[in-house]
Amino acid sequence: LQLQASGGGLVQPGGSLRLSCAASGFTLAHYAIGWFRQAPGKEREGVSCVNIENTVTYYYDSVKGRFTMSRDNAKNMVYLQMNNLKPEDTAVYYCATVIDCLPLIGRPRAGPDDLWGQGTLVTVSS
């Protein structure tokens, strides 16, 4: 069972990146999925979540309107399109299966049994 995040890199402020998360050994469609990030010296935070039914996607306030999360169950993939990137978006980004999404705050809720990808580094700098 594995999640593999990719697509990170160095981008200038205002630029865009698309992160991908590929699952192997299990079916992503059976899970709610979250994207998290951890900036240097900061705690990991959830930024986006899609429910298990793939009907609703949630976003934390700091990325709302700039990030778009999607899932392609046929390809067993999840994506995070990030536009208008800011230096404060610099972080290692992780995808993970999660217990559920928290609609009021737009964040995923992960538990001890959830599966995490290894992370991909996004650096926003001029």
Side-chain angles (χ1 to χ4, degrees):
L1 304 180
Q2 189 176 12
L3 282 172
Q4 180 81 30
S6 61
L10 174 64
V11 62
Q12 292 186 342
S16 298
L17 281 174
R18 187 194 194 205
L19 305 184
S20 299
C21 176
S24 58
F26 70 103
T27 302
L28 271 180
H30 297 169
Y31 298 88
I33 304 295
W35 280 100
F36 298 79
R37 67 186 182 187
Q38 186 165 19
K42 295 188 177 181
E43 292 187 356
R44 186 175 62 200
E45 63 174 359
V47 296
S48 183
C49 184
V50 61
N51 65 352
I52 190 171
E53 297 85 2
N54 198 26
T55 55
V56 186
T57 308
Y58 303 94
Y59 303 93
Y60 189 58
D61 283 349
S62 62
V63 306
K64 197 174 295 182
R66 301 187 297 121
F67 289 12
T68 302
M69 182 177 182
S70 61
R71 68 194 297 171
D72 186 335
N73 289 337
K75 295 183 178 180
N76 220 22
M77 298 280 294
V78 174
Y79 305 97
L80 186 68
Q81 177 67 43
M82 306 186 296
N83 297 329
N84 191 21
L85 282 161
K86 304 176 181 181
E88 52 264 41
D89 295 318
T90 295
V92 177
Y93 283 73
Y94 303 87
C95 56
T97 63
V98 295
I99 297 173
D100 56 18
C101 303
L102 302 175
L104 293 181
I105 59 173
R107 282 181 155 169
R109 182 166 67 108
D113 296 327
D114 282 311
L115 184 65
W116 292 81
Q118 89 289 359
T120 185
L121 176 63
V122 172
T123 303
V124 185
S125 175
S126 55

